[in-house]
Amino acid sequence: MSGSRNGAIARAEKYFDDGGFLADLQRRVAIPTTSQEQGSMPALQQYVSDEMTESLSKLGYDCTVLPNPRPEYGPFLIARRVEDEKKPTVLTYGHGDVIRGQEDQWRQGLSPWNIVIEGEKMYGRGTADNKGQHTINIAALACVLEERGALGFNSTILIETGEETGSPGLAEFCKANKAALKADALIGSDGPRLDHRRPCIFGGTRGTMNFNLKLSYREGGHHSGNWGGLLANPGIVMAHALATITDERGQIKVPEWRPKTLTNSVRAALADVSIDAGEGAPKIHEDWGEKGLTPIERVFGWNSFEVLAFKTGNPDRPVNAIPPSAIAYCQLRFVVGTDPHDIVPALRRHLEKHGFGDIAVEPAREVIMNATRLDPDSPWAKFAAKSLEQTAGAKPHILPNLGGSLPNEVFTDILGLPTVWVPHSYAACSQHAPNEHLLAPVAREGLRLMTGLFWDLGEGRPA
């Protein structure tokens, strides 16, 4: 083995500057892997069986595409490169599926399935979530291989195709393939940086639970002139029920939803964190959320309740009638310490206590993404932080957990791994929306950071 760390990073820079990254990402973005839509199975299969298998086989990986334990959902790819059984193994994860293309909503001149570059922005569905991010990591592995002639560690790559539908089957798949996925740690990339100009590490995620509140009083609407004052309006009742869940600034009032895990050590880790989502990001409401917490603590150390949509009557064509029903589509993002199995029961108890026992609470998804957290002082977090600082020349943000959600509990609880996530996107990337894009400077730096990190892992595992 030969070469140098700087030499490997120079290869990563050349790969980006000479158009290699754009070419690889364009092929992948062009495959419409929209797991949320019917008829997507051929594209999902193509992504792992053709595109990713071909790319990884060239790097010396043994690739196996396996069906989802739930046949109605997309397949998995396990790619393994074993150099020495005595050396550590690093598991790298990515998801090849994307959300709906929303083709008719993209700005003129843009398309979800064709990358368009405007200034520093690389537009296309999946550029940020998640094809661009795992393309960066795989290319970084390739740069280390080219420079050193070997990684210096064993590498396993897991690509799933159902993350945007809640990762159905992932837990069962990892249990069934535990031996093939055995590793010393997971290093993956998803989600945004806090500041697009500064590297970031997070060790876990908030959990997410989606549920619907439903209230139905009768069949059909009734004329508001004849029946106003006589019939209860479910929209009004639902609004008052929602007002018991939080106060006017969004502070949670359901006792079981108020975490007790915002410890001094977590607060100390968050004290150095700041958010700069970049151009186009919305302005932060400083007076929204839990009093006594900083905006950073509200996102990364606390729970947040959201009403995603609220419908009563016919919003598109209102008529002078008292509607028969109302529905609110809701979500709780929660941190470690919140019992995910008690989220819905706790809300039912709370609504009953406040006189809204007629409102039904129903989970909206079968899959719950649980909360996970890695101590910022863990050896793997400190190793990654030191490596990123050496490459970037600046200390990275270090978070116990991300504000968003990933199926990270599969890796922490089922596979028993410490998890280190290094995001290559930023918060204003229009993820899950029209005009999704990746910032070219962040992608280029991501290549440098991950190449340096994988090089350092080949030099020796964390103590």
Side-chain angles (χ1 to χ4, degrees):
M1 295 188 293
S2 60
S4 68
R5 189 182 198 273
N6 288 339
I9 292 174
R11 289 178 183 271
E13 294 170 338
K14 181 176 174 58
Y15 166 75
F16 186 89
D17 296 342
D18 290 353
F21 175 73
L22 177 60
D24 287 343
L25 186 55
Q26 175 59 76
R27 286 197 319 275
R28 293 163 190 171
V29 166
I31 304 171
T33 51
T34 54
S35 60
Q36 296 175 324
E37 296 180 324
Q38 291 185 346
S40 63
M41 191 65 75
L44 300 175
Q45 191 74 45
Q46 177 189 354
Y47 193 80
V48 291
S49 297
D50 297 339
E51 172 59 35
M52 298 311 300
T53 292
E54 181 178 340
S55 298
L56 291 168
S57 295
K58 292 177 180 177
L59 302 180
Y61 283 80
D62 294 323
C63 298
T64 306
V65 175
L66 296 166
N68 197 307
R70 305 187 188 189
E72 66 272 30
Y73 296 104
F76 296 89
L77 168 66
I78 297 179
R80 301 180 69 207
R81 179 185 166 93
V82 180
E83 294 185 354
D84 185 341
E85 295 284 1
K86 296 178 181 179
K87 292 183 177 180
T89 299
V90 173
L91 175 64
T92 302
Y93 162 88
H95 64 89
D97 64 314
V98 297
I99 70 151
R100 298 174 180 88
Q102 303 171 317
E103 290 91 336
D104 59 338
Q105 301 178 44
W106 287 58
R107 182 165 52 76
Q108 187 175 3
L110 302 181
S111 164
W113 315 122
N114 181 57
I115 295 179
V116 174
I117 298 177
E118 294 182 357
E120 295 184 339
K121 296 179 179 179
M122 308 173 72
Y123 289 94
R125 177 63 79 221
T127 52
D129 186 19
N130 173 261
K131 293 177 180 178
Q133 302 216 40
H134 63 253
T135 294
I136 287 170
N137 292 353
I138 291 169
L141 290 164
C143 290
V144 173
L145 275 171
E146 291 167 3
E147 179 72 11
R148 180 184 271 149
L151 292 175
F153 58 92
N154 305 311
S155 172
T156 301
I157 297 174
L158 172 65
I159 303 290
E160 74 156 315
T161 58
E163 196 270 349
E164 299 296 1
T165 55
S167 295
L170 178 61
E172 298 97 313
F173 181 83
C174 288
K175 287 177 183 177
N177 294 277
K178 203 168 183 179
L181 297 170
K182 183 180 179 181
D184 293 271
L186 176 131
I187 295 178
S189 297
D190 205 342
R193 293 179 171 189
L194 300 185
D195 184 331
H196 64 285
R197 299 162 300 188
R198 184 174 173 184
C200 178
I201 293 172
F202 61 89
T205 63
R206 283 201 294 185
T208 181
M209 176 71 175
N210 286 50
F211 47 89
N212 302 331
L213 307 186
K214 296 181 178 180
L215 180 61
S216 180
Y217 280 146
R218 61 191 75 89
E219 292 292 330
H222 291 269
H223 192 281
S224 58
N226 298 332
W227 293 95
L230 300 176
L231 298 180
N233 187 309
I236 294 175
V237 175
M238 181 67 78
H240 282 272
L242 291 170
T244 72
I245 299 174
T246 77
D247 66 10
E248 68 279 2
R249 59 175 286 155
Q251 295 186 109
I252 291 173
K253 296 162 69 174
V254 180
E256 295 87 342
W257 290 6
R258 295 180 58 80
K260 298 179 175 62
T261 51
L262 183 54
T263 61
N264 289 335
S265 62
V266 172
R267 281 187 149 165
L270 296 177
D272 182 46
V273 174
S274 60
I275 295 178
D276 184 346
E279 181 183 354
K283 182 181 178 181
I284 293 174
H285 289 248
E286 299 287 342
D287 57 353
W288 179 259
E290 189 70 19
K291 291 180 179 178
L293 303 186
T294 66
I296 294 296
E297 290 170 344
R298 294 169 193 159
V299 177
F300 303 109
W302 203 253
N303 295 349
S304 60
F305 170 74
E306 306 296 343
V307 178
L308 306 178
F310 184 2
K311 181 179 180 181
T312 188
N314 187 342
D316 296 325
R317 299 188 66 181
V319 295
N320 294 322
I322 301 169
S325 61
I327 182 169
Y329 301 88
C330 304
Q331 180 187 77
L332 185 73
R333 298 274 183 175
F334 58 95
V335 296
V336 166
T338 304
D339 182 355
H341 302 291
D342 193 43
I343 290 172
V344 167
L347 180 57
R348 288 178 179 143
R349 295 192 297 269
H350 176 84
L351 292 174
E352 180 74 32
K353 177 182 177 181
H354 287 82
F356 298 104
D358 290 344
I359 294 178
V361 185
E362 301 176 356
R365 290 182 180 178
E366 180 183 353
V367 178
I368 304 173
M369 289 189 179
N370 291 335
T372 57
R373 180 176 285 170
L374 180 68
D375 189 329
D377 288 330
S378 78
W380 281 93
K382 292 170 74 173
F383 182 93
K386 181 180 179 181
S387 175
L388 266 59
E389 183 172 1
Q390 180 181 349
T391 303
K395 183 179 178 182
H397 282 132
I398 305 175
L399 300 173
N401 54 263
L402 186 67
S405 301
L406 290 166
N408 199 49
E409 76 274 8
V410 172
F411 308 119
T412 58
D413 299 348
I414 294 175
L415 298 181
L417 304 179
T419 56
V420 175
W421 295 85
V422 184
H424 307 314
S425 182
Y426 78 124
C429 68
S430 297
Q431 174 186 358
H432 288 198
N435 308 329
E436 178 183 347
H437 60 274
L438 185 67
L439 279 185
V442 174
R444 189 178 189 275
E445 185 179 43
L447 283 161
R448 299 179 70 253
L449 295 171
M450 298 308 292
T451 301
L453 178 55
F454 289 138
W455 181 274
D456 293 341
L457 285 167
E459 297 287 299
R461 60 176 295 162

